[in-house]
Amino acid sequence: MQKSDGMNYAPKGKPNIVVQKGEFVFAAIALDHGHIYGMCNGLLEAGAELKWVYDQDPAKVAAFIAKYPQAKAASSEQEIFDDAEVKLIAAAAVPSERGALGIRAMENGKDYFTDKTPFTSLDQLAAAKAKVEETGRKYAVYFSERLHVESAVFAGQLIEEGAIGRVVQVIGLGPHRLGAAGRPDWFFKKDKYGGILCDIGSHQIEQFLHYAGCKDATVVSSKVANYHAKDYPELEDFGDATLVGDNGATNYFRVDWLTPSGLGTWGDGRTLILGTEGYIELRKYIDIARDPQGDQLYLVNQQGEKHYSLHGQVGFPFFGQLILDCINRTENAMTQAHTFKAAELCLLAQEKAIRVE
């Protein structure tokens, strides 16, 4: 697991097997973002079987098979689509191409699991909604900053148990290290990555909807800037937004590509959740100058103060739930409505953002 490089950060957890060998087969298509490794890790730890891999770049395929030797290199997407054993396509394509790949997967009878952000335009979202309605297939999204972070999972469990009462505000901080020299060309092209609020902002909006229990929200304001990466004029290295949920909860988040090289990990991601009876702070990836281990959760409520160190303690239930949802046609991992609403709101935040310098 590469802690210095967010693009190739691929968490591993303890196995939580929900299916028997051969009961749930998946394939990986499009290896443009390193998150595909985290996605595959999660599915494998839940008992899924990885059968195929396809990408147009043979070097990416070779690196993937070195990591997962059970995967066979397919000659084309269609070879995978034609395999009736394959139930789910896991993919981390260039963001602007994720929607179209999902359409093709669903048209071929497969459920689809894509890296965030799932879309770069509202037209892509509308097309995916229509295809889900037409086919009954799933369009699932890897919102890793909640789903693949044990402190974030535990925070949701505490909220469900009523530990802080009604959630009234979520503040999300999502700093990332740029590492420009190791980034592909598409990363710096606005029409490919969609903008910072669309891209890494999607994590923050999904977390807000989940923790605050919102079905919908309004983007009150949003801003983007390129403060420091002047060599890459289409890159936005800063963005923030304010939202109000349909239940009155509020959200402020900030995302950026300004993490300094002196930090011991790729980003000091934090979430602060305020409730009527207490509050939670997550220090997801590091507790700076105190503990290099992430997954630190601080809880304050009417009973007192509590610190939880959660690395290796909670696991990642989303992946097993997703597998069982695909088998049983249920929605326990994440509802389709929630997935699409998070996608819609990040696109709207990006669309209405003012540019500052």
Side-chain angles (χ1 to χ4, degrees), residues 89-324:
I89 303 299
V94 173
S96 60
E97 299 170 8
R98 290 170 184 169
L101 176 53
I103 298 289
R104 297 195 298 275
M106 292 186 287
E107 285 176 341
N108 282 274
K110 314 300 186 187
D111 291 317
Y112 182 60
F113 180 35
T114 180
D115 188 19
K116 65 76 218 160
T117 184
F119 311 104
T120 56
S121 75
L122 290 166
D123 286 345
Q124 293 170 9
L125 169 61
K129 282 184 173 180
K131 192 59 67 173
V132 165
E133 185 70 24
E134 173 193 330
T135 63
R137 296 289 100 195
K138 293 185 180 295
Y139 196 109
V141 178
Y142 181 57
F143 291 113
S144 57
E145 291 187 24
R146 181 175 69 83
L147 303 175
H148 227 161
V149 174
E150 288 179 289
S151 58
V153 173
F154 191 65
Q157 295 169 357
L158 288 173
I159 291 166
E160 286 178 18
E161 293 167 4
I164 60 170
R166 174 191 170 191
V167 172
V168 297
Q169 188 192 43
V170 179
I171 297 175
L173 303 175
H176 288 61
R177 178 173 289 140
L178 180 58
R183 299 283 178 177
D185 289 344
W186 61 259
F187 179 85
F188 302 101
K189 296 179 180 176
K190 182 80 174 288
D191 64 334
K192 299 291 188 183
Y193 77 91
I196 193 169
L197 299 177
C198 174
D199 181 21
I200 52 178
S202 63
H203 288 296
Q204 302 297 329
I205 291 176
E206 190 279 329
Q207 288 178 112
F208 166 58
L209 296 178
H210 178 78
Y211 290 140
C214 302
K215 298 282 194 294
D216 200 354
T218 300
V219 179
V220 177
S221 65
S222 54
K223 304 185 291 293
V224 296
N226 182 339
Y227 285 127
H228 188 59
K230 300 302 185 182
D231 290 344
Y232 305 98
E234 293 187 49
L235 181 71
E236 296 162 352
D237 64 12
F238 176 92
D240 70 2
T242 301
L243 289 80
V244 177
D246 56 358
N247 60 3
T250 67
N251 175 226
Y252 170 80
F253 73 84
R254 186 203 83 216
V255 288
D256 65 75
W257 293 103
L258 299 172
T259 291
S261 58
L263 186 73
T265 187
W266 55 267
D268 184 14
R270 299 196 181 198
T271 306
L272 296 96
I273 307 165
L274 176 65
T276 54
E277 303 294 329
Y279 60 91
I280 292 168
E281 180 182 350
L282 308 180
R283 302 180 187 181
K284 292 182 175 180
Y285 308 112
I286 192 171
D287 201 348
I288 56 168
R290 194 194 72 85
D291 190 338
Q293 186 66 67
D295 282 312
Q296 308 294 334
L297 183 149
Y298 296 85
L299 167 67
V300 182
N301 62 12
Q302 310 298 1
Q303 285 70 53
E305 308 166 3
K306 188 89 183 261
H307 168 225
Y308 297 88
S309 187
L310 295 163
H311 179 73
Q313 303 301 308
V314 181
F316 307 112
F318 169 82
F319 300 94
Q321 292 169 344
L322 175 61
I323 290 168
L324 294 176

Side-chain angles (χ1 to χ4, degrees), residues 15-66:
N16 180 27
I17 305 296
V18 300
V19 287
Q20 300 303 309
K21 183 173 174 57
E23 190 178 352
F24 188 82
V25 175
F26 76 103
I29 295 178
L31 311 177
D32 295 286
H33 199 294
H35 281 173
I36 190 66
Y37 290 92
M39 298 162 71
C40 291
N41 289 346
L43 291 168
L44 291 167
E45 288 160 8
E49 181 179 320
L50 175 57
K51 186 174 181 181
W52 293 101
V53 59
Y54 175 72
D55 189 276
Q56 292 181 339
D57 182 348
K60 287 190 175 73
V61 172
F64 186 88
I65 291 175

